[in-house]
Amino acid sequence: MSNMNPTALRASARLRAGADSARSRARLALALALSILVFLPLFPSMPSAGADASWKMALNEAWVRGFDFGRVVFTYGPYAFLSTEQYHPDTFGALLACSLFLGAILFLLLHLIELGSKRTVHIAFILSCLIASGYTSSPDVRFICYGFLFLVAAFRQPRRGEDTAGGLLLLGAPVILSLAALSLGLICLVKATFAVEAGVMVVLSTVVLHGRGRLLLVPAILVSFALGVTLFWLAAGQSLAELPHFFLNQAQVAVGYGQAMSVGEDILPPALFLISVIPLAIAIERDVQPPATGKIVMALGMVFILFLSFKEGFVREDVLHVMTPAEVLFILPWFWPFDRVDIWRHVQTAAAACTVVVFAMQFPRALDLQAKTAVFEQSLHCSDPDSLACPIRIGSLRRTYDLSLARLAEQVPLPKLQGTVDVYTMSQYLALANGYRWDPRPVLQSYSAYTPALAQMNADHLTGARAPDGVLFALDTIDFRLPALADGPSWPILLSQYDVNWIGKRRQPFGGQPVVYLRHKPDWRRIAVARTRLLERMVVLGQKVELPRSDAVLFATIDVRPGIYGRLEQVLFKDPDLYISFRFPDGEIGRYRLIPGMARAGFVISPVVADTEQFVALQGLEVGQALSNRRPIEFWLSGARGAPLVWTHPATVEISSLQARN
């Protein structure tokens, strides 16, 4: 080598530098592509029947029709399509733009962390895990991890001279962090859970930055975050004056979620999750050495996120939620900037991987492999010019969307309807697929009106200026709830101020409850519902209450509240389920799930209505002979395992008769 002339040495050095530069650019390009794929939906879902598909479709339509999301009350916000990934031709452009934006910021954050660390972060592995999580039943994992990544980026600042690698970080860490805070403003408008997490991560990041002496960055982050919420809210066509109402309503939804939406009593999944957290806690405790204020703050952030994912996955322990904590527990620690390799970190990785596998085996539908395989097989036919299902071809997406709507419209032969229409209790797709003038109540799905305030919003809507001219009613329920709890305070209004026009059956393969069309009576504004109190008493769990003898429809409010221990358990996990049981004249016993907030709002307790036909038989608030055997003699409250420790206060029961008056 020493005999080579200087010209040849310089040429060889240039070649090596060029090769290194090319490899570096290729790695950056791959990382950018993977980052975008984390949020970009290659296989968007289409409208379909069912409760979840209905609210996804409804939120898309709310965006398209310019509804005020300060008055649309649900767990999701105007940018829900970023999580649901359901296709709509008029929201898909916004979905693509926001996905590209979030993917680009994710790339910059990961690259910033890599530059500020002593060892290379496994970016490709992390991104692959995030992409995979988006194709399970837990798409929220991507957004949950995104917030923690922002906190880590605030801690891991690049050293001098390192922020120009590849020419991509000429913006500098302050600009990247400000852009990331702006993107968190967008994530706040996707889902209530994300808003809580984003707010906490922004506050913790300012603490970290202040502790590291980056005082000017603290106000920049706060301003960028607030600006992001405001700009993306306005970009959704919303009025700035309604933004506070949006967050207040989201708080209402969050407060009642645990008691109303909890399901599942299997102790194995949460126990396995908590066991898998132990080695992570040990590894982080060993890594946090004084002075380590920044890492302590990051540890608090990780605890908070793990707690949120625990609540999201195990309060409603079903195939749509249970994988979230397992996936978060596996992915989140990869963001932690460990200063040294620790055996406990390896133990935690193995434990988290085992947790994911066990959950997948216990809840195989959570992976939804059959549906994903079908979509992948369709994508193989994208070269076919007649393909309707190619996920890459935008025109094919639109044709598939139209075909999906046509199939939905076929399940009930609905005639043309005049005026505005709402749908009770959850099948909003019936109005949307048929092109009606859909004008919904504030809480879109009746099963989500689970606090007295939320239920009263819907009841007030029926008597207000925007009351729908007609209602499509199908008495669907979830989690074996007492059907009358679904928008219970609205039933007296629907039964007295609306007339039955027709009733139709759903066609196979959809099936389900029949659909009845209720039309406003001409004199509906003059009709009022009078209540006459017949009974009021305090009862405890298991105590039987004899119902008053009356020919009228009976309406009940049951105020049952947990004790101090129950309130603590509700915050940390979830309360045991409550049930209401009825004994009928023929000796039959009926048992249903009772939601405390819905019971406080009020519901029709006699006759016990179980389906749409029985609801129709109550029109005019008159009990016909057909429902005589649905009048219970008595009822009592009971609970699942551990309920007596939680529901310690006596319940206040009030029963009134209902009568429609002109």
Side-chain angles (χ1 to χ4, degrees), residues 266-269 272 317 319 322 356-365:
D266 190 350
I267 199 64
L268 175 62
L272 187 57
E317 191 179 313
V319 295
V322 74
V356 172
V357 172
V358 171
F359 282 21
M361 294 175 63
Q362 188 173 1
F363 301 90
R365 288 180 54 205

Side-chain angles (χ1 to χ4, degrees), residues 91 147 164 176 182 223 251 256 268 270-271 388 440 488 496 515 530 554 582 590 607 630 639:
T91 63
T164 58
I176 293 174
L182 193 78
V223 170
L268 175 62
L388 288 179
S496 62
V515 180
L554 299 184
F582 299 95
R630 298 299 298 171

Side-chain angles (χ1 to χ4, degrees), residues 531-587:
R531 295 188 188 180
T532 303
R533 185 181 300 175
L534 303 178
L535 180 148
E536 183 176 7
R537 70 172 57 172
M538 307 286 285
V539 300
V540 296
L541 296 186
Q543 181 179 346
K544 295 183 178 180
V545 180
E546 186 175 344
L547 285 164
R549 296 183 181 275
S550 174
D551 294 330
V553 175
L554 299 184
F555 192 84
T557 59
I558 302 178
D559 189 352
V560 54
R561 300 175 187 267
I564 296 177
Y565 170 76
R567 293 180 186 276
L568 179 62
E569 188 176 55
Q570 182 182 347
V571 171
L572 297 179
F573 190 26
K574 59 184 176 182
D575 290 332
D577 294 343
L578 280 178
Y579 301 96
I580 184 169
S581 300
F582 299 95
R583 184 169 67 87
F584 295 95
D586 60 0

Side-chain angles (χ1 to χ4, degrees), residues 296-455:
I296 291 175
V297 174
M298 281 198 304
L300 292 175
M302 178 172 284
V303 170
F304 181 77
I305 291 176
L306 289 174
F307 174 70
L308 276 186
S309 63
F310 177 86
K311 292 277 286 186
E312 180 168 337
F314 301 128
V315 168
R316 189 160 183 82
E317 191 179 313
D318 61 10
V319 295
L320 298 179
H321 298 86
V322 74
M323 290 300 297
T324 296
E327 293 176 15
V328 169
L329 182 60
F330 180 76
I331 298 174
L332 203 64
W334 291 97
F335 295 135
W336 184 273
F338 286 99
D339 289 331
R340 64 181 186 276
V341 178
D342 191 284
I343 184 62
W344 285 102
R345 173 68 181 99
H346 296 311
V347 172
Q348 188 277 329
T349 301
C354 290
T355 301
V356 172
V357 172
V358 171
F359 282 21
M361 294 175 63
Q362 188 173 1
F363 301 90
R365 288 180 54 205
L367 300 180
D368 202 13
L369 294 178
Q370 186 174 0
K372 298 297 187 297
T373 302
V375 172
F376 177 73
E377 290 177 351
Q378 290 173 343
S379 70
L380 299 179
H381 298 282
C382 285
S383 58
D384 183 357
D386 297 325
S387 175
L388 288 179
C390 176
I392 300 174
R393 201 174 300 145
I394 301 299
S396 295
L397 287 174
R398 178 56 190 262
R399 292 196 300 274
T400 306
Y401 173 82
D402 292 337
L403 180 62
S404 299
L405 292 185
R407 292 183 67 243
L408 288 175
E410 289 178 357
Q411 67 169 288
V412 180
L414 302 181
K416 292 184 178 180
L417 301 177
Q418 300 297 321
T420 56
V421 175
D422 194 4
V423 183
Y424 285 74
T425 54
M426 65 178 72
S427 301
Q428 300 290 343
Y429 67 89
L430 292 174
L432 299 174
N434 286 278
Y436 295 150
R437 287 177 54 196
W438 178 63
D439 193 5
R441 58 202 179 280
V443 186
L444 298 173
Q445 304 287 75
S446 294
Y447 63 77
S448 290
Y450 42 59
T451 71
L454 295 175

Side-chain angles (χ1 to χ4, degrees), residues 26 58 97 136 278 321 352 415 543 581 599 643-644 646 655:
T136 67
I278 293 174
H321 298 86
Q543 181 179 346
S581 300
V646 173
I655 298 178

